[in-house]
Amino acid sequence: MAVYNKQKGFTLIELIIVLTLIGILAPGMALIFSNILDNYRTMTAIGSVTKRAEFALSRFTEDMNNCTTITRAGVEEIEIEIATVPAQTYRYKIDGTDGTIKLCLADCGNNQNFHTVIEGVRPTTEFKYLNEDRAELADNPPKPWLSTEAGNHDRLNEIIYVELKLDLVFLDGTTSYSTIVFPERKVTL
């Protein structure tokens, strides 16, 4: 009569081989998953900053396209009148104290009426005013140029394009966006 030995389980050698293989493969798998998570975090940050920038730039572009008059032009502020009935005044302001761009739709002398359009703005963000050759207009007289001052009407009328150069905080550095707008409905003062 033949005796069959039916083993249940693993031998000690098989167990040692499996544990050795796991010990070799585990650090490599951990490194791969760590890289995947880092890439995911980076892509999420890129998506977030891009979405915020696109919103701010598209809002600014739309308002500038509806602009009939530029009434204030400065490096950190621009005030425009929008082609509505009655005309509305919008003022964009780069606020370096809290790193935001703010928008005011009424009574802009009161800071409480400014609403945040975008956060995470670097101090290098600025408005630029360009002539028909897209060259920046000279800062003479010094900005801001106000429509309430008759001597600034010529400077405000020379503005053909308006650029918003938007520098945003991105991870440990800065990412830059820019839009140049031709205010289609702008009339001279």
Side-chain angles (χ1 to χ4, degrees):
M1 172 185 236
V3 178
Y4 294 101
N5 186 4
K6 293 188 176 182
Q7 279 187 328
K8 292 185 179 178
F10 301 104
T11 64
L12 183 58
I13 301 254
E14 290 171 330
L15 192 57
I16 290 173
I17 290 172
V18 168
L19 289 175
T20 303
L21 288 175
I22 289 173
I24 292 170
L25 295 177
M29 295 303 289
L31 184 61
I32 290 170
F33 286 123
S34 173
N35 286 339
I36 289 171
L37 287 176
D38 287 345
N39 288 339
Y40 172 76
R41 287 185 193 110
T42 301
M43 294 307 291
T44 302
I46 289 170
S48 173
V49 76
T50 300
K51 185 177 179 181
R52 292 180 322 164
E54 284 177 355
F55 170 76
L57 294 176
S58 67
R59 173 69 197 251
F60 178 75
T61 300
E62 181 180 339
D63 289 344
M64 288 304 300
N65 282 333
N66 292 319
C67 161
T68 55
T69 307
I70 298 174
T71 56
R72 172 187 294 261
V75 174
E76 294 181 345
E77 273 187 318
I78 184 170
E79 184 176 87
I80 57 177
E81 287 184 3
I82 301 295
T84 58
V85 178
Q88 283 188 295
T89 300
Y90 290 2
R91 185 183 296 177
Y92 282 89
K93 176 172 76 170
I94 300 166
D95 191 343
T97 59
D98 62 359
T100 61
I101 292 181
K102 296 182 177 179
L103 172 62
C104 176
L105 304 176
D107 188 23
C108 298
N110 185 349
N111 279 339
Q112 293 178 342
N113 292 332
F114 282 89
H115 304 284
T116 300
V117 175
I118 188 169
E119 297 174 331
V121 175
R122 292 277 189 200
T124 52
T125 296
E126 62 184 344
F127 294 107
K128 293 183 179 181
Y129 305 98
L130 313 173
N131 62 19
E132 63 275 354
D133 298 325
R134 292 198 182 121
E136 188 169 1
L137 295 174
D139 196 17
N140 186 19
K143 294 180 191 92
W145 300 323
L146 308 173
S147 63
T148 56
E149 298 175 14
N152 290 331
H153 285 202
D154 290 341
R155 296 307 293 176
L156 291 169
N157 289 332
E158 287 180 40
I159 298 172
I160 304 298
Y161 300 99
V162 178
E163 179 180 7
L164 171 56
K165 182 180 154 289
L166 183 60
D167 294 333
L168 297 175
V169 174
F170 176 69
L171 299 176
D172 294 334
T174 300
T175 186
S176 296
Y177 298 87
S178 181
T179 185
I180 297 176
V181 184
F182 171 70
E184 300 167 353
R185 300 179 184 177
K186 182 178 167 257
V187 295
T188 57
L189 295 172

